[in-house]
Amino acid sequence: MGSGSWHMEKRHSFKNEPVKDVEHVLENGSLSIIVLGASGDLAKKKTFPALFNLFQQGFLQPNEVHIFGYARTKISDDELRNRIRGYLVRDKGASPKDLEDVTKFLQLIKYVSGSYDTEEGFRLLDKEISETEVLRNGVDGLSRRLFYLALPPSVYPSVCRMIRHCCMNKTDLGGWTRIVVEKPFGKDLESAEQLSTQIGELFEESQIYRIDHYLGKELVQNLLVLRFANRFFLPLWNRDNIENVQIVFREDFGTEGRGGYFDEYGIIRDIIQNHLLQVLCLVAMEKPISLKPEHIRDEKVKVLQSVLPIEDDEVVLGQYDGYRDDPTVPDHSNTPTFSTVVLRIHNERWEGVPFILKAGKALNSRKAEIRVQFKDVPGDIFKCKKQGRNEFVIRLQPSEAMYMKLTVKQPGLEMSTVQSELDLSYGQRYQGVTIPEAYERLILDTIRGDQQHFVRRDELKAAWEIFTPLLHRIDNGDLKPLPYKPGSRGPAEADALLEKAGYVQTHGYIWIPPTL
């Protein structure tokens, strides 16, 4: 290899080298964070508040970071700042320091207006970024540029093309350009692959961060530690001891004005194919050889590739009464607002163990949890089988907790048994500790160049391969959702499917979060 090609390869690898801490990220130049779709709901409610929290905690220093908003709306810097202000802190509960921090943070934000498919606006954006970089660095090209696409996927290709042609970091002196894209990544395998190809022609995989905010949740991030750092889970975590695994997402409200958007996707595309499937990977994967992002993502892909095709008789779809009353929803919509799907993993560890993914809107409670149900105790001398099985429950939201349901002796003179729990409730155990929002953690990971909690292209493809045949059958009307009453558990057929899959519901036991 000639010296010129060696030098090029060395520079190329340095450009995308992951950086381990924020101080190192920022020491050689400025960081520009560009929020595209800055006037939209996602940016106001999630992206800017996450950036503000990172700023408050000292991860984004005012002398090193500048934030740019870009959208079609023609507004001034101050108008954008005023739109964002109310989402950063609640004025009634805000301390004087919080309000001062808000003012300082908002001064970091500039706004550029332009379209998403013409060069004029992006040239102007590049000019604004470059001027800021020169002021901060004195040297053009040392900056880092992070583009956050808080936009519908339909405009990803044109926006990525404009960024590639107009807004890249100018040299390889140590800077980088990274792109964060939000879900949904396509609507099926074909559209996802098309989107991946279009973006992949413009950026390397190491520059693309496909964000799934569930991977930023505290209890989801705890899964690897729980599984691989605790001796007593290692021998239990397999088909010999586990009867079934449920991963559940429930909301107690309907589409609430988002009916038109939701109807395009449905509950499987919106929640199950991405969020719940990502959680399944972490529950089911083998131990990676290290904590390097690629080693972890390799194991997740292996799990997805081991999932068998979904059988129609292991799916229940539902649609709550009143869903089609929304004027933005078609009168004859076949879109499910509820689904229970049984997945089967064909490998040595999980053969025969059903993984039940369940999600729904307008149900009787709001929660997200993982429920690992163990097999019955053989030779049950206490006759306590009717009280229910041992379960390990990881509650992702609200009231983050982990608890183990187990059978104990009822206090008193009689030898009678009752179900209780060993409980780790975060609100009680970690008093005064603020659990970071998922978006804060993931944006910080992007700045650090850590892709562990982001979805790789082959992982995305494997996920769509599992669900695309089922989704096409629903889209074609071959599978119909069953009606259910708002505020219920969903269609009764879903509980029947759980029973058929081997899940035994515990009657009479209710987990109550401990109070302080």
Side-chain angles (χ1 to χ4, degrees), residues 354-414:
F355 280 75
I356 302 156
L357 274 48
K358 183 162 122 181
K361 291 184 171 292
L363 298 174
N364 59 349
S365 62
R366 174 183 169 263
K367 66 179 176 181
E369 66 182 20
I370 304 159
R371 188 172 290 270
V372 179
Q373 186 169 87
F374 291 89
K375 292 179 182 290
D376 290 323
V377 174
D380 177 19
I381 60 174
F382 293 103
K383 308 289 188 289
C384 53
K385 184 175 174 180
K386 62 181 181 299
Q387 288 171 346
R389 290 169 165 164
N390 294 148
E391 289 183 358
F392 178 48
V393 182
I394 303 170
R395 192 177 172 100
L396 307 179
Q397 66 181 39
S399 307
E400 291 92 344
M402 290 178 275
Y403 60 95
M404 178 75 84
K405 280 168 58 177
L406 71 170
T407 303
V408 296
K409 177 185 172 295
Q410 178 100 336
L413 295 172
E414 299 296 325

Side-chain angles (χ1 to χ4, degrees), residues 9 58 63 99 160 191 209 242-243 266 365 369 385 418 455 474:
E9 182 171 303
N63 60 328
L99 297 174
C160 287
S191 57
Y209 289 71
I242 292 174
E243 181 68 33
S365 62
E369 66 182 20
K385 184 175 174 180
V418 67
V455 181
I474 296 168

Side-chain angles (χ1 to χ4, degrees), residues 7 12 16 46 51 53-54 56 110-111 122 145 159 175 184 234 241 257 323 338 378 396 401 413 463 491 497 503 514:
H7 184 64
H12 169 80
N16 292 309
K46 296 293 184 185
L51 292 172
N53 289 338
L54 290 173
Q56 265 203 313
K110 281 188 175 180
Y111 182 72
F122 284 88
R145 296 186 177 187
V159 167
L234 294 176
N241 297 288
Y323 169 71
F338 172 98
L396 307 179
L413 295 172
L497 176 58
Y503 175 70

Side-chain angles (χ1 to χ4, degrees), residues 17 25 69 153 219 243 276 292 300 383 454 466 498:
E17 184 181 352
V25 170
L219 273 289
E243 181 68 33
L276 301 195
K292 287 182 179 172
K300 288 166 68 184
K383 308 289 188 289
F454 295 84
I466 293 166
L498 288 186

Side-chain angles (χ1 to χ4, degrees), residues 91-155:
D91 284 345
K92 285 180 182 172
S95 68
K97 183 185 181 305
D98 287 338
L99 297 174
E100 187 185 335
D101 287 346
V102 167
T103 303
K104 287 179 183 172
F105 173 74
L106 290 174
Q107 289 310 306
L108 299 177
I109 299 174
K110 281 188 175 180
Y111 182 72
V112 177
S113 170
S115 76
Y116 294 126
D117 54 2
T118 58
E119 290 193 6
E120 186 183 359
F122 284 88
R123 297 266 177 223
L124 180 58
L125 176 62
D126 181 61
K127 180 170 172 286
E128 292 280 354
I129 300 169
S130 297
E131 284 174 3
T132 306
E133 288 169 356
V134 170
L135 285 172
R136 296 276 162 84
N137 301 316
V139 181
D140 191 19
L142 282 179
S143 78
R144 285 97 169 129
R145 296 186 177 187
L146 171 57
F147 290 87
Y148 194 112
L149 275 59
L151 294 164
S154 56
V155 297

Side-chain angles (χ1 to χ4, degrees), residues 49-76:
L51 292 172
F52 172 65
N53 289 338
L54 290 173
F55 170 79
Q56 265 203 313
Q57 294 168 62
F59 289 108
L60 302 181
Q61 293 292 329
N63 60 328
E64 297 161 328
V65 175
H66 213 90
I67 299 166
F68 297 85
Y70 184 92
R72 288 188 289 239
T73 316
K74 294 195 182 322
I75 52 174
S76 66

Side-chain angles (χ1 to χ4, degrees), residues 115-310:
S115 76
Y116 294 126
D117 54 2
T118 58
E119 290 193 6
E120 186 183 359
F122 284 88
R123 297 266 177 223
L124 180 58
L125 176 62
D126 181 61
K127 180 170 172 286
E128 292 280 354
I129 300 169
S130 297
E131 284 174 3
T132 306
E133 288 169 356
V134 170
L135 285 172
R136 296 276 162 84
N137 301 316
V139 181
D140 191 19
L142 282 179
S143 78
R144 285 97 169 129
R145 296 186 177 187
L146 171 57
F147 290 87
Y148 194 112
L149 275 59
L151 294 164
S154 56
V155 297
Y156 287 173
S158 65
V159 167
C160 287
R161 205 161 39 248
M162 292 300 120
I163 293 169
R164 188 78 185 84
H165 294 321
C166 307
C167 296
M168 297 292 284
N169 178 47
K170 299 297 184 292
T171 73
D172 287 344
L173 295 175
W176 46 249
T177 303
R178 292 178 185 148
I179 310 293
V180 178
V181 291
E182 278 275 354
K183 77 163 187 77
F185 314 116
K187 291 184 75 174
D188 58 10
L189 177 60
E190 186 184 357
S191 57
E193 276 292 279
Q194 187 181 2
L195 197 57
S196 291
T197 300
Q198 289 169 325
I199 298 174
E201 285 169 351
L202 301 166
F203 299 102
E204 297 165 28
E205 183 64 27
S206 59
Q207 294 175 292
I208 303 166
Y209 289 71
R210 299 174 190 84
I211 198 167
D212 183 327
H213 75 269
Y214 254 59
L215 290 177
K217 287 186 178 292
E218 181 67 35
L219 273 289
V220 174
Q221 298 221 325
N222 209 341
L223 275 168
L224 291 190
V225 180
L226 272 173
R227 287 197 52 205
F228 301 124
N230 292 292
R231 181 69 193 223
F232 53 74
F233 282 127
L234 294 176
L236 295 178
W237 214 257
N238 55 45
R239 64 193 177 96
D240 297 330
N241 297 288
I242 292 174
E243 181 68 33
N244 55 73
V245 178
Q246 266 194 83
I247 303 169
V248 179
F249 173 93
R250 305 163 73 92
E251 285 181 334
D252 55 3
F253 52 87
T255 52
E256 296 195 331
R258 291 176 67 245
Y261 166 82
F262 181 84
D263 200 72
E264 219 181 308
Y265 294 97
I267 198 75
I268 295 176
R269 289 184 175 96
D270 197 38
I271 301 292
I272 295 178
Q273 183 272 341
N274 37 70
H275 299 331
L276 301 195
L277 199 58
Q278 284 294 319
V279 174
L280 177 144
C281 288
L282 296 172
V283 171
M285 65 187 265
E286 297 299 318
K287 184 191 284 190
I289 58 173
S290 82
L291 288 175
K292 287 182 179 172
E294 291 316 306
H295 292 156
I296 291 170
R297 299 201 294 181
D298 286 346
E299 296 303 332
K300 288 166 68 184
V301 172
K302 286 179 194 170
V303 171
L304 293 173
Q305 290 173 339
S306 302
V307 174
L308 296 170
I310 299 167

